[in-house]
């Protein structure tokens, strides 16, 4: 197993693309999960989707797919609707 962000294998954590609080129905869905290093996970929580996807653009398609499955076009449309 390795980070989907960097390919590293140490200090891995699971990140829910759609938060557990807002979307508990997707907690166990594989398409809603990213494997990240602890530092990448912290970077996401410190900076949000825009900066995270700027740093890891190869994850944009997976993230956008998860939001589309929940009825949103992109992470941006979810936050605009909130």
């Amino acid at each position: 197993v390795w980070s989907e962000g960097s390919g590293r294998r140490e200090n891995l954590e699971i990140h829910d693309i759609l938060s557990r609080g807002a979307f508990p129905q997707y907690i166990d869905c594989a398409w809603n999960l990213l494997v990240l290093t602890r530092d990448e996970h912290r970077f996401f929580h410190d900076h949000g989707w825009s900066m995270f996807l700027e740093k890891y653009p190869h994850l944009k398609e997976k993230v956008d797919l998860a939001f589309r499955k929940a009825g949103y076009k992109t992470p941006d449309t979810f936050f605009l609707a909130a």
Side-chain angles (χ1 to χ4, degrees):
V1 178
W2 56 86
S3 164
E4 294 176 71
S6 64
R8 294 183 176 175
R9 293 180 174 262
E10 68 278 348
N11 301 315
L12 299 176
E13 299 181 350
I14 301 296
H15 173 74
D16 294 277
I17 296 171
L18 300 164
S19 75
R20 292 169 161 261
F23 298 95
Q25 67 271 34
Y26 302 129
I27 288 173
D28 293 326
C29 296
W31 53 262
N32 186 40
L33 304 175
L34 286 174
V35 177
L36 302 171
T37 67
R38 184 175 299 125
D39 289 342
E40 294 161 356
H41 198 184
R42 187 176 312 124
F43 181 87
F44 167 77
H45 285 287
D46 289 346
H47 301 286
W49 280 120
S50 181
M51 288 188 71
F52 181 82
L53 293 174
E54 187 175 312
K55 187 169 184 174
Y56 304 104
H58 61 283
L59 295 176
K60 185 172 181 0
E61 186 175 330
K62 182 173 182 174
V63 170
D64 286 351
L65 175 63
F67 275 86
R68 283 195 307 272
K69 286 183 179 239
Y72 296 93
K73 293 182 182 174
T74 65
D76 294 332
T77 58
F78 169 72
F79 292 108
L80 290 174

